[in-house]
Amino acid sequence: MPTLHWIGKEKVINHHMDVPFKVLEHKYHFENGVQTAPSPLERAGGEAGNKIIHGDNLEALKALLPEYEGRIKCIYIDPPYNTGNESWVYNDNVNDPKIKKWLGQVVGKEAEDLTRHDKWLCMMYPRLKLLHKLLAEDGAIFISIDDNEQATLRLICDEIWGGGNFKGKISRATGTPTGQGNTRLANEIDYILVYSKSVKFEFYGLPFTEKDDKIYNQVDSNGKYLARTLRKTGGEDKRIDRPNMYFSVQAPDKTEVFPIGPTGYESRWRVSKETYLQLEIEKRIEWKKSKKGDFQPYMKFHLEGRTKQAGNLWNEIQGNKKAQIDIKSIFEDKVFETPKPIELLERIIQISADKNSIILDSFAGSGTTAHAVLNLNKQDGGNRKFICIEMENYAETITAERVKRVIKGYGSTGSPQTEGTGGSFDFYKLGQPMFLGNGNLNELVGIEKIRQYVYYTETKTAITETKHKDNIHFLSKHNDTAYYFNYEADGITTLNHAFLATIKTKAEQYVIYADNCLLTKDYMTKHNIIFKKIPRDITKF
């Protein structure tokens, strides 16, 4: 498999492991038009619902790991296309001061010699690595890109996600021509690269619309149906292609009927003989007389329970100009140059996630992904959740503000009003690092965040139960191992027989964190106890 090399790659290939872990600070909760400050408990533990996060998306993705690793069903990102354009709200030249500073810190002096393509690859690689960790085994990522970086993105995605997990490339007409570098060529196409985490991912079918419903204009005891000729039509309809699908069937007048085309050529049926016999039992074969007076078999396709593939339906989605009109109707102003169409995100979510999935967008921009999630939940009663990350200063004034207006409803005076979707979200900013420069725990993050972090480093799962019948230091039980974090901000803690007497959870093994240990090695071995010293033995990931 070909791999891509660029200046600075060796510095960023494992950089995601060196990103400092920071906690998320809960700033406010917004629900059905009302914004409230978080309670002390919410500030400590956060919310498991919709999230909008303001901060560097590299650090924010790392902060999501304890709660969300392996849980995200669908990821959509619209990263900088690296066109060289710096003329609008959205900086598309990987030349943002924050990125330049980061490159200098991570890549070092070499960063001064990087081309904009090197910079882009250095920026994207560690973010894709963390996105890979967050994606569920049966999930998929969709990445918008254009010809400036499409080829390089494909190579680094093959490296991170695996070439065998490439599911395809969607070509999309944007309707907004862009120049290609210094050439005079203009392009109105961009792409969406699709990768799965593993072979467990499967595309969902799209629901039928009212327009589709009208096509199913016949009714029998099984409901509405569409009848299509049983004979295969199209480019690959030869007997030689599928000989097991060429056989005779008996018409109502007892004559034998073969799959013969209109001009007398040998064709084939849509199904094998075994399947045909089953269709007869299910009463899904319908006979009609042709203009010649002979009988021809038709197959019934019932509407109930059917879905359709996306296919060329991507072409039905209008381009970026429609998206600009949509966002202008929300803000009554042109606040964002390159929003994606809501319908595009709705379709991506529909084909990749169920009604209870978590959807992540780490380049949130104007908030189209959140808008799409709220729309779909309103349409079908789903319980999808979104997580949107935006590093720019418009995270609250555009990204979060759009979501607020979508939830409440919007429309200017004298124009049609768009009904609100309802729903809620929580707004966060990146907060304190988990560890201080000397390696000690940063107590300012709060004990609950520390407990979540320690448990995640041990189990790669989040603490889900907050109520239990054990001592206050109990974290949770995982794979028959009970975990305890014996920690006090103002004192030294000790693992001794007095502490063991307070344990109430039965397990095959016990992992106990404390400042000191007075138990003998033989005693701990005999009772399957593992002592871990704070902060020395707390894993940094």
Side-chain angles (χ1 to χ4, degrees):
M1 182 180 75
T3 57
L4 185 67
H5 295 278
W6 67 90
I7 297 174
K9 181 178 181 179
E10 69 280 1
K11 300 290 181 63
V12 300
I13 195 167
N14 289 314
H15 176 65
H16 64 286
M17 299 174 69
D18 299 324
V19 175
F21 181 88
K22 293 183 177 180
V23 300
L24 297 176
E25 289 186 0
H26 190 190
K27 293 301 181 180
Y28 63 80
H29 178 74
F30 185 90
E31 185 164 4
N32 294 329
V34 180
Q35 181 172 313
T36 56
S39 68
L41 179 61
E42 289 170 336
R43 289 193 192 98
E47 291 287 313
N50 296 319
K51 288 179 170 66
I52 297 177
I53 303 167
H54 180 203
D56 183 337
N57 55 13
L58 185 61
E59 294 179 341
L61 290 171
K62 187 80 172 262
L64 291 173
L65 285 175
E67 188 174 0
Y68 292 101
E69 181 170 3
R71 293 182 58 201
I72 308 296
K73 190 70 165 65
C74 169
I75 296 173
Y76 171 77
I77 58 172
D78 185 15
Y81 284 9
N82 205 13
T83 62
N85 176 30
E86 295 181 81
S87 62
W88 192 245
V89 177
Y90 189 77
N91 186 326
D92 208 8
N93 193 26
V94 199
N95 204 29
D96 185 284
K98 292 188 275 298
I99 293 294
K100 291 176 71 175
K101 181 180 178 182
W102 176 80
L103 286 168
Q105 292 171 341
V106 176
V107 180
K109 196 168 183 180
E110 281 182 313
E112 299 173 7
D113 301 323
L114 299 184
T115 68
R116 67 184 178 94
H117 298 289
D118 294 326
K119 292 177 185 177
W120 189 88
L121 289 163
C122 286
M123 183 273 293
M124 286 296 295
Y125 200 93
R127 287 161 173 81
L128 289 172
K129 293 281 277 190
L130 288 174
L131 288 168
H132 184 269
K133 283 180 170 290
L134 288 162
L135 192 64
E137 285 297 311
D138 60 347
I141 184 171
F142 296 73
I143 310 173
S144 284
I145 201 68
D146 75 356
D147 282 321
N148 282 281
E149 297 292 357
Q150 185 264 139
T152 54
L153 178 62
R154 177 74 190 273
L155 285 172
I156 61 173
C157 282
D158 281 351
E159 187 172 322
I160 293 170
W161 303 86
N165 289 323
F166 176 64
K167 311 310 284 189
K169 179 174 71 175
I170 301 165
S171 299
R172 189 183 73 92
T174 65
T176 51
T178 57
Q180 295 299 306
N182 295 322
T183 73
R184 292 182 177 272
L185 298 176
N187 186 25
E188 293 188 13
I189 300 292
D190 68 8
Y191 311 98
I192 301 173
L193 301 187
V194 187
Y195 282 81
S196 65
K197 181 77 168 277
S198 73
V199 294
K200 293 182 180 181
F201 171 76
E202 292 184 3
F203 286 107
Y204 292 83
L206 290 171
F208 279 80
T209 63
E210 290 184 11
K211 180 180 177 181
D212 300 314
D213 189 72
K214 292 177 182 178
I215 299 173
Y216 288 74
N217 53 11
Q218 300 178 71
V219 182
D220 64 7
S221 58
N222 292 319
K224 298 182 70 174
Y225 71 90
L226 165 69
R228 287 182 174 170
T229 175
L230 187 68
R231 182 178 61 81
K232 182 74 171 66
T233 59
E236 298 179 2
D237 59 355
K238 302 288 191 298
R239 172 185 183 178
I240 193 172
D241 295 329
R242 301 291 288 274
N244 65 318
M245 292 182 177
Y246 185 89
F247 52 89
S248 66
V249 295
Q250 192 175 75
D253 61 1
K254 307 302 182 184
T255 58
E256 281 191 310
V257 179
F258 286 86
I260 304 299
T263 57
Y265 65 89
E266 288 186 345
S267 182
R268 60 181 175 87
W269 302 123
R270 292 176 181 270
V271 297
S272 66
K273 190 165 186 176
E274 292 78 9
T275 302
Y276 174 82
L277 294 174
Q278 182 61 34
L279 291 172
E280 276 197 322
I281 294 171
E282 296 172 0
K283 296 182 179 180
R284 288 183 57 198
I285 298 297
E286 184 173 85
W287 290 89
K288 298 181 181 181
K289 275 193 175 183
S290 69
K291 292 180 180 179
K292 296 179 181 179
D294 59 337
F295 282 99
Q296 290 294 323
Y298 285 74
M299 181 178 172
K300 294 180 180 180
F301 293 86
H302 288 88
L303 178 60
E304 186 176 353
R306 283 181 62 76
T307 57
K308 59 185 178 182
Q309 293 181 333
N312 62 2
L313 298 173
W314 299 103
N315 297 328
E316 297 175 1
I317 297 172
Q318 298 186 53
N320 291 353
K321 288 183 178 178
K322 169 62 164 56
Q324 291 167 3
I325 293 170
D326 287 339
I327 198 167
K328 190 173 181 180
S329 70
I330 297 172
F331 286 96
E332 302 176 32
D333 193 10
K334 185 181 179 181
V335 298
F336 210 82
E337 182 72 17
T338 57
K340 290 295 185 286
I342 301 167
E343 296 81 4
L344 175 67
L345 270 298
E346 289 177 351
R347 183 146 298 168
I348 286 172
I349 295 167
Q350 285 175 316
I351 66 172
S352 62
D354 60 35
K355 293 181 180 181
N356 295 299
S357 296
I358 304 170
I359 319 300
L360 170 64
D361 183 346
S362 57
F363 292 86
S366 68
T368 307
T369 299
H371 191 164
V373 168
L374 291 168
N375 273 1
L376 289 174
N377 284 345
K378 182 180 179 182
Q379 290 169 22
D380 60 19
N383 190 38
R384 303 170 187 86
K385 302 295 182 186
F386 63 79
I387 302 172
C388 291
I389 304 169
E390 180 51 56
M391 70 183 295
E392 298 296 341
N393 291 331
Y394 55 76
E396 190 161 9
T397 58
I398 295 179
T399 313
E401 182 60 30
R402 176 181 184 174
V403 178
K404 291 177 185 178
R405 297 186 186 197
V406 168
I407 288 172
K408 292 189 298 184
Y410 57 89
S412 59
T413 305
S415 65
Q417 298 292 304
T418 299
E419 185 180 55
T421 60
S424 65
F425 72 90
D426 292 276
F427 189 84
Y428 296 83
K429 288 190 176 182
L430 278 171
Q432 296 275 340
M434 182 62 66
F435 294 94
L436 300 172
N438 58 10
N440 289 331
L441 288 166
N442 182 0
E443 294 172 355
L444 293 178
V445 305
I447 184 61
E448 286 304 319
K449 292 288 187 183
I450 295 173
R451 283 165 55 85
Q452 281 278 0
Y453 178 90
V454 171
Y455 186 72
Y456 168 77
T457 62
E458 288 285 352
T459 66
K460 291 296 184 288
T461 60
I463 298 176
T464 53
E465 287 188 40
T466 56
K467 294 182 179 180
H468 53 79
K469 296 181 179 180
D470 210 319
N471 67 40
I472 62 171
H473 304 291
F474 177 63
L475 297 176
S476 192
K477 184 178 175 180
H478 182 76
N479 290 340
D480 218 15
T481 297
Y483 295 90
Y484 293 81
F485 187 64
N486 185 9
Y487 176 80
E488 294 177 7
D490 301 323
I492 301 297
T493 61
T494 301
L495 172 55
N496 52 24
H497 290 284
F499 180 85
L500 294 180
T502 66
I503 290 177
K504 297 179 181 179
T505 299
K506 293 186 180 296
E508 288 189 2
Q509 180 175 258
Y510 298 85
V511 173
I512 304 173
Y513 285 81
D515 294 312
N516 295 308
C517 179
L518 297 181
L519 303 177
T520 66
K521 289 184 178 180
D522 289 341
Y523 183 89
M524 289 192 290
T525 301
K526 180 179 178 181
H527 294 90
N528 298 319
I529 298 171
I530 298 173
F531 164 67
K532 294 199 174 183
K533 185 175 178 61
I534 301 172
R536 182 194 67 195
D537 295 329
I538 299 177
T539 302
K540 297 181 178 67
F541 64 89

